[in-house]
Amino acid sequence: MQRSAIVKSLSLASVVLSLMGVGAPSALAATTTPADNQTASTAPVKPTTPPADYGDIHKTLVPLAGTVNTRDLGGYTTADGKWQVRSHSLLRSDQLIGLTAADIQKLTTDFKITSVIDLRTPGQVKGKPDKALPGAKNTNISVLGPHAYTDSGSDGEFYNQRLAFGHPAVVGYHKFLNMVLANPQATLYHCTSGKDRTGIATVLLLSIMGVSRNTIIADYMQSNQVGKKVERAWLMEYYKEVLQNYGSMEAYITECLEFSPAQQEQLRAKLLVSTDGKNTPYPAAQKPVVPGNNTGNSGNGGAGNVTNDNHQNDNSGTNQTDGNNTPDNVTSGGQAAQPSKPTNTNGGTHKPGKKKVVKIVSTKKMRTTYKYRLKGNKVWFKDAHLQKTKGHTPKHSKKKWQLIKQEKVKINGKAATYFQVKDRAGHKAWLVKSAILNFK
């Protein structure tokens, strides 16, 4: 099942904002429409004086003749003040078609860029291809899919539907994070203007690093200082929908983007150093000992082990199409569930040689809205009547689910009712009826 299901109810908050006059109707044209024909001036733009709350772009701007919005994330500190992002390790930018020979020399020699991630659409890449950086691999990950056009009614809605829950964005940002983690040197990532798609990529990275939300918002807003329009309301709408559906940015990154807590720790170990002047590397997490766990993708397994996009076990990840993969096959501690013995419905152990008699009494398709929540620590099933367990629901979650199918099953003569549920990213799984909460 693809993750592309986007529900119109996501737009309600944006409609309200539009009615309240937050954001001009023409703002979408300034950011994305028509995005495949966007142009970005390569002439240097003198940064404007920033509002007091948004910091000074001069502290992060990398002066280049061929771009206007290239910035080094180095120096941003974590919320506790103990750690900071390494300088010359992460660069965010606008498109690279205008790079001069001096720019290329600076990026390759001073910053040692070995990976360029282009978040634009194929049409944008073809129309204005990047200037190549010697020794750097250029990868195109279109987080908007084949085209950047959107039928959303406001910029906030564009951020929600296309950059938070759109299938290309979910898959694209998943791959993006894995590539940043896998690259042992510096990464430069960009879109056309370096503000929307690149802005959200930066939100994800800085959130994982533990940088405060106020600092992340300030960095996002600094695009205005080089003539690239963004509005705080657009980013806040993005935050609102993510938090409403996943409870936290961390849960969104872990569950929706499938970038595990272990990978997030590895990324912090790669990118953070101490703020005490000693530049002590952030301590790498110790690899947990989990009997029977041979995925090689948890703990401190090394960045080179993450290029498989974290598709663990037999049905997790974005390439599954059977419609029954579990969205949350993790325990509340973030480790993949590893039951030592197969369990039945009541939590007991199957006796060897005992044949299970299964009869499907009825199947009913459902058309509901995303208004259901799930009880914590309840068993996910890959299939209702097969009772194949796939971990447990998170201990706490505010995510909304949709009921799409109901099955009544008799297992060894005992009747039970199960529902197949789906989240906004398109994950599907089965749960027993008693684990589902209806709320208004």
Side-chain angles (χ1 to χ4, degrees), residues 187-301:
T187 298
L188 183 151
Y189 58 98
H190 75 93
C191 53
T192 299
S193 297
K195 63 189 184 70
D196 298 311
R197 288 165 285 186
T198 298
I200 293 302
T202 305
V203 169
L204 297 173
L205 287 171
L206 294 182
S207 295
I208 293 172
M209 293 303 102
V211 175
S212 71
R213 186 186 297 187
N214 285 341
T215 300
I216 295 173
I217 294 171
D219 176 81
Y220 169 83
M221 293 297 295
Q222 285 175 11
S223 287
N224 285 311
Q225 297 177 43
V226 292
K228 303 299 181 181
K229 182 180 179 181
V230 291
E231 293 186 11
R232 190 177 188 275
W234 303 345
L235 185 57
M236 297 313 296
E237 192 63 26
Y238 171 87
Y239 270 121
K240 178 181 177 181
E241 290 294 337
V242 166
L243 299 182
Q244 183 173 335
N245 287 281
Y246 286 88
S248 68
M249 183 61 70
E250 180 183 3
Y252 169 77
I253 292 169
T254 301
E255 299 171 21
C256 185
L257 301 186
E258 294 186 353
F259 195 68
S260 71
Q263 288 175 299
Q264 293 173 49
E265 276 291 291
Q266 291 173 28
L267 193 59
R268 286 189 280 270
K270 168 184 166 61
L271 295 174
L272 292 178
V273 293
S274 63
T275 56
D276 58 5
K278 299 179 181 179
N279 286 333
T280 304
Y282 184 90
Q286 297 298 314
K287 186 174 182 179
V289 179
V290 182
N293 184 0
N294 295 318
T295 61
N297 220 7
S298 61
N300 190 23

Side-chain angles (χ1 to χ4, degrees), residues 142-427:
S142 177
V143 295
L144 293 180
H147 304 286
Y149 291 99
T150 175
D151 58 0
S152 300
S154 70
D155 293 282
E157 188 172 345
F158 164 76
Y159 270 59
N160 299 334
Q161 293 193 3
R162 301 297 299 277
L163 295 181
F165 300 110
H167 175 67
V170 170
V171 174
Y173 284 128
H174 165 84
K175 184 176 181 180
F176 165 76
L177 292 173
N178 276 274
M179 286 191 65
V180 173
L181 177 57
N183 181 24
Q185 300 296 326
T187 298
L188 183 151
Y189 58 98
H190 75 93
C191 53
T192 299
S193 297
K195 63 189 184 70
D196 298 311
R197 288 165 285 186
T198 298
I200 293 302
T202 305
V203 169
L204 297 173
L205 287 171
L206 294 182
S207 295
I208 293 172
M209 293 303 102
V211 175
S212 71
R213 186 186 297 187
N214 285 341
T215 300
I216 295 173
I217 294 171
D219 176 81
Y220 169 83
M221 293 297 295
Q222 285 175 11
S223 287
N224 285 311
Q225 297 177 43
V226 292
K228 303 299 181 181
K229 182 180 179 181
V230 291
E231 293 186 11
R232 190 177 188 275
W234 303 345
L235 185 57
M236 297 313 296
E237 192 63 26
Y238 171 87
Y239 270 121
K240 178 181 177 181
E241 290 294 337
V242 166
L243 299 182
Q244 183 173 335
N245 287 281
Y246 286 88
S248 68
M249 183 61 70
E250 180 183 3
Y252 169 77
I253 292 169
T254 301
E255 299 171 21
C256 185
L257 301 186
E258 294 186 353
F259 195 68
S260 71
Q263 288 175 299
Q264 293 173 49
E265 276 291 291
Q266 291 173 28
L267 193 59
R268 286 189 280 270
K270 168 184 166 61
L271 295 174
L272 292 178
V273 293
S274 63
T275 56
D276 58 5
K278 299 179 181 179
N279 286 333
T280 304
Y282 184 90
Q286 297 298 314
K287 186 174 182 179
V289 179
V290 182
N293 184 0
N294 295 318
T295 61
N297 220 7
S298 61
N300 190 23
N305 295 329
V306 302
T307 54
N308 63 349
D309 287 350
N310 196 31
H311 292 167
Q312 301 176 0
N313 301 326
D314 63 343
N315 75 323
S316 62
T318 61
N319 292 334
Q320 298 300 320
T321 57
D322 62 1
N324 291 317
N325 57 306
T326 171
D328 297 299
N329 60 336
V330 296
T331 64
S332 59
Q335 299 299 325
Q338 298 288 338
S340 58
K341 298 180 181 180
T343 56
N344 61 22
T345 311
N346 298 318
T349 303
H350 291 305
K351 294 181 179 180
K354 184 177 180 180
K355 185 177 180 180
K356 183 190 297 184
V357 179
V358 178
K359 180 181 179 182
I360 301 176
V361 179
S362 65
T363 299
K364 177 183 177 182
K365 291 186 177 180
M366 309 179 72
R367 296 182 180 274
T368 65
T369 59
Y370 287 88
K371 65 176 183 178
Y372 295 88
R373 290 182 183 160
L374 310 177
K375 293 182 179 179
N377 292 329
K378 298 300 179 181
V379 177
W380 288 118
F381 297 104
K382 180 178 179 182
D383 186 272
H385 63 277
L386 292 182
Q387 286 282 284
K388 187 175 181 180
T389 61
K390 285 293 177 182
H392 297 74
T393 60
K395 186 175 181 180
H396 301 291
S397 178
K398 295 182 179 180
K399 187 192 298 188
K400 297 178 183 177
W401 296 81
Q402 179 185 26
L403 309 186
I404 59 175
K405 188 183 292 186
Q406 172 185 300
E407 279 194 358
K408 292 184 178 180
V409 181
K410 280 191 175 181
I411 303 174
N412 293 337
K414 186 176 180 180
T417 300
Y418 295 87
F419 285 99
Q420 191 177 40
V421 297
K422 181 174 70 173
D423 69 3
R424 295 187 188 280
H427 297 105

